Amino acid sequence: MQTTRPPTSSQPAAPEALGLSHILTSLLPPTVHTSDGPERYIVSAVFNRRPSAGEITGINGAAARSWLDRAQFPEISLKVSDRRLEIANTSLEQLASGLAATIAGLLAHLSAEDATQAHSAAGDLADHEQSEQRRLAAINALIAEIPLSASVPSDEQPQLGLARIATGLLPSALGTDSAFPRYTVSVEFTRAPTPREIEMITGTSLRQQMSVAGYPEAVLTIRDRRLEIHGTSLEELRAGLADVISSALIGISSEAATRDVEAAADAARQAEQESNRQQYVTTAAAAVRFVAPRD
């Protein structure tokens, strides 16, 4: 016996067409089909499935009104109530004589429209996801081409450098038509900069150095362990700005270390001088005797 395998697809199966299964006779007026019964009343019919938000909007809105008017049922109104369709100002006889078929056609039409829109939305979502993947891949490829200095170990502390770009802090529109040409790029340091290094990085000397190198719009600030490069772009960093900053950090790291060593030596000398002074003062003061001379 030959078996047929169901086709495999990543798309969810389309729901069955919306329709009505039966009328809830328990909700009909108790005087229906009596001499005292109303000519028109509300008939509640049960949907074959729960309608979608789009289908509910169509049934309760202008789409159903226009459909009923064209079918010569201007007095009829429809309302969705959970899993029921409330058909107002009608009768069982009117439903049987053509209104039921008109409503069934309306529901089939709305169901088909809703399925088409859902399919289109799913296709748009898939296209967006593919576009987003291509965008992120292009950004990561560009970031991989940006040279960042590596940390060089030493006996004391490693040289200050740039480790990696914080991609999560890049503008969300980057790589799209709505992206700004210049933005802020945050780069993590290889270690926390010292106070002296922070002062030198954010000072006027490095700003002038970048301006001379052709990057006058770039401004550097420091936030925690990140260097924020304002007014730049990944393309500009790849084209040379990253080299300028990395080279400057090497010089700043060395100069700051030298200054810190000199400052530590000066502090040690001053501490030694102060210790010697205090020792002399203490000794000299102890040698003083307040004793009156004898005759």
Side-chain angles (χ1 to χ4, degrees):
M1 180 177 65
Q2 184 179 4
T3 59
T4 303
R5 295 183 178 179
T8 58
S9 173
S10 58
Q11 297 293 337
E16 62 176 321
L18 185 64
L20 297 172
S21 61
H22 61 280
I23 290 174
L24 287 174
T25 56
S26 61
L27 296 182
L28 292 172
T31 56
V32 165
H33 204 59
T34 67
S35 59
D36 297 329
E39 292 185 4
R40 295 184 177 274
Y41 41 88
I42 295 176
V43 177
S44 295
V46 179
F47 287 113
N48 59 339
R49 62 169 172 81
R50 188 177 299 277
S52 68
E55 291 167 338
I56 293 174
T57 299
I59 294 169
N60 291 340
R65 180 71 276 150
S66 176
W67 186 279
L68 291 171
D69 288 345
R70 288 197 304 269
Q72 304 301 313
F73 293 108
E75 73 283 2
I76 304 301
S77 63
L78 305 179
K79 180 183 177 182
V80 176
S81 178
D82 194 20
R83 287 285 298 268
R84 300 192 307 272
L85 176 65
E86 295 182 350
I87 310 167
N89 203 31
T90 187
S91 66
L92 295 176
E93 291 76 13
Q94 186 180 39
L95 285 165
S97 63
L99 177 57
T102 298
I103 294 175
L106 167 65
L107 297 182
H109 172 73
L110 294 177
S111 181
E113 277 194 342
D114 188 69
T116 300
Q117 292 176 0
H119 181 75
S120 176
D124 292 343
L125 178 59
D127 291 343
H128 173 73
E129 290 177 349
Q130 292 178 1
S131 176
E132 181 67 7
Q133 290 175 358
R134 290 192 296 269
R135 184 185 73 87
L136 294 177
I139 291 174
N140 290 331
L142 180 56
I143 289 174
E145 296 176 357
I146 297 175
L148 300 177
S149 62
S151 175
V152 179
S154 66
D155 294 337
E156 297 180 359
Q157 71 175 357
Q159 184 183 76
L160 181 65
L162 300 176
R164 66 185 63 84
I165 291 175
T167 55
L169 298 179
L170 291 171
S172 58
L174 191 61
T176 67
D177 295 337
S178 60
F180 290 107
R182 294 186 174 274
Y183 42 89
T184 297
V185 178
S186 297
V187 190
E188 296 177 9
F189 285 114
T190 53
R191 61 168 172 79
T194 65
R196 190 180 299 276
E197 289 170 337
I198 293 175
E199 179 183 356
M200 297 174 70
I201 291 170
T202 57
T204 58
S205 178
L206 180 53
R207 179 71 184 275
Q208 292 173 353
Q209 184 178 343
M210 292 191 302
S211 181
V212 170
Y215 306 103
E217 297 182 358
V219 178
L220 304 182
T221 60
I222 294 176
R223 183 185 296 272
D224 299 326
R225 287 193 55 164
R226 299 192 305 269
L227 175 67
E228 294 185 341
I229 311 170
H230 306 279
T232 187
S233 66
L234 294 177
E235 290 79 6
E236 188 173 63
L237 286 166
R238 179 184 60 180
L241 179 56
D243 280 331
V244 172
I245 296 175
S246 296
S247 298
L249 290 182
I250 294 174
I252 287 174
S253 183
S254 299
E255 183 177 351
T258 300
R259 290 187 185 182
D260 287 341
V261 170
E262 293 175 351
D266 289 341
R269 284 194 296 270
Q270 292 177 6
E272 184 179 4
Q273 291 174 358
E274 178 63 17
S275 177
N276 292 337
R277 185 190 68 81
Q278 291 181 0
Q279 184 177 1
Y280 167 78
V281 170
T282 301
T283 302
V288 175
R289 296 291 184 268
F290 295 93
V291 179
R294 296 180 179 180
D295 295 337

